[in-house]
Every structure is written in C-alpha cells, then in structure tokens.
Amino acid sequence: MAIFNDRKAKQQLDREAGKVREQDVNELLEKQQAIEEKVRNSGKLMRFSSDIRLMFSMLRDYWQGNYRAVPWKSIAAIAGALVYVLNPLDVIPDLILGFGFIDDAGVVALCLTMVESDLLRYAAWKEHKEESWTSQP
C-alpha cells in the first residue's frame, strides 16, 4: 500500500484550494522565498522548481491584474498546493527523513496535472509580452 497516493493528494489539494481567498494570494506571494528554499533543499520537490517559479509568476501577475485569463479554480489550486508545500506538519511531516516530502511532491504533481493548460497559456502570454517589451524601440 502506498504511503501517499493520488486520492490522498487530491483530497489534500481540494482541502487547501477550498480555503483560498483572493487576499490569500498576496500573503502567499510574500512567502515565495521560503517555499523556493524548501523546494531547493528537498530532493523530492527539486524537480518541480521551475514549475513552482512559473506558478508564482502567474500568481503575481494575477494578483497585480496583469493576467486574468485564468479561472479562479486554477489560481486556488496553485495557491492551495503551495500552501501545502509550506506547511511542515502536513499528512507526512517534513521532518521524517526520506518520506517527509512525498506528500508535498504528490500534491504539486497533481496540481500541475490539473492546471497544466492554464500554465502553458500563461507561459506563452508571458513570453509574448517579454518579446514585445524587448522589441520596442
């Protein structure tokens, strides 16, 4: 029997995403550095580091009103997953060596599956915006 499976990951993600309010996004953005540091120091989460940076970028552009072409459900799922990663005392406490980040990685992976198309659209929008910015005289 798996310690942490997709069903448990979905339950945790749904629980955290269900609690997210729009003003929570700003509070989460203030904790970006702490979450990214946790990801860097975790073997299980490190493979998601570029995805997590993209998630934070989309949350920041959403919060600032620069990018709103994303459903609230996706914003809440991303915020919920990141809040879950930040919590050291989740389903499998992060202090348990070798196993502590399995649940965090599972929740992030599930979130990425759920919001993949929204993140891809955002990444394309952001790339186009940056190209437009650099090509202006």
Side-chain angles (χ1 to χ4, degrees):
M1 177 184 237
I3 293 174
F4 196 80
N5 58 32
D6 287 345
R7 185 178 58 79
K8 288 181 184 176
K10 181 160 179 21
Q11 288 172 343
Q12 293 303 317
L13 181 58
D14 287 346
R15 182 177 300 136
E16 292 300 328
K19 294 184 224 174
V20 174
R21 297 166 304 171
E22 194 162 334
Q23 59 266 31
D24 296 330
V25 173
N26 188 46
E27 293 173 20
L28 182 61
L29 289 170
E30 292 173 0
K31 297 175 182 171
Q32 179 175 357
Q33 188 173 5
I35 293 171
E36 287 183 353
E37 185 174 322
K38 182 176 180 178
V39 169
R40 271 192 304 275
N41 295 327
S42 161
K44 302 281 186 212
L45 287 171
M46 205 158 67
R47 67 183 172 149
F48 297 112
S49 61
S50 62
D51 295 317
I52 287 173
R53 278 193 304 277
L54 184 62
M55 289 173 161
F56 269 113
S57 180
M58 187 164 83
L59 287 177
R60 181 163 278 101
D61 277 330
Y62 178 87
W63 178 253
Q64 293 172 347
N66 300 328
Y67 185 79
R68 292 294 179 129
V70 58
W72 173 250
K73 181 179 179 182
S74 294
I75 293 297
I78 289 169
L82 294 173
V83 166
Y84 189 83
V85 167
L86 187 61
N87 184 358
L89 301 174
D90 44 33
V91 173
I92 303 174
D94 297 343
L95 302 171
I96 299 175
L97 294 176
F99 295 103
F101 296 109
I102 290 173
D103 58 326
D104 296 19
V107 168
V108 170
L110 179 66
C111 178
L112 287 170
T113 299
M114 291 173 55
V115 302
E116 180 179 24
S117 61
D118 293 319
L119 279 173
L120 290 173
R121 275 192 299 278
Y122 169 73
W125 172 84
K126 185 175 175 159
E127 184 176 326
H128 176 73
K129 180 182 165 197
E130 289 171 357
E131 286 174 359
S132 297
W133 178 260
T134 58
S135 65
Q136 290 182 3

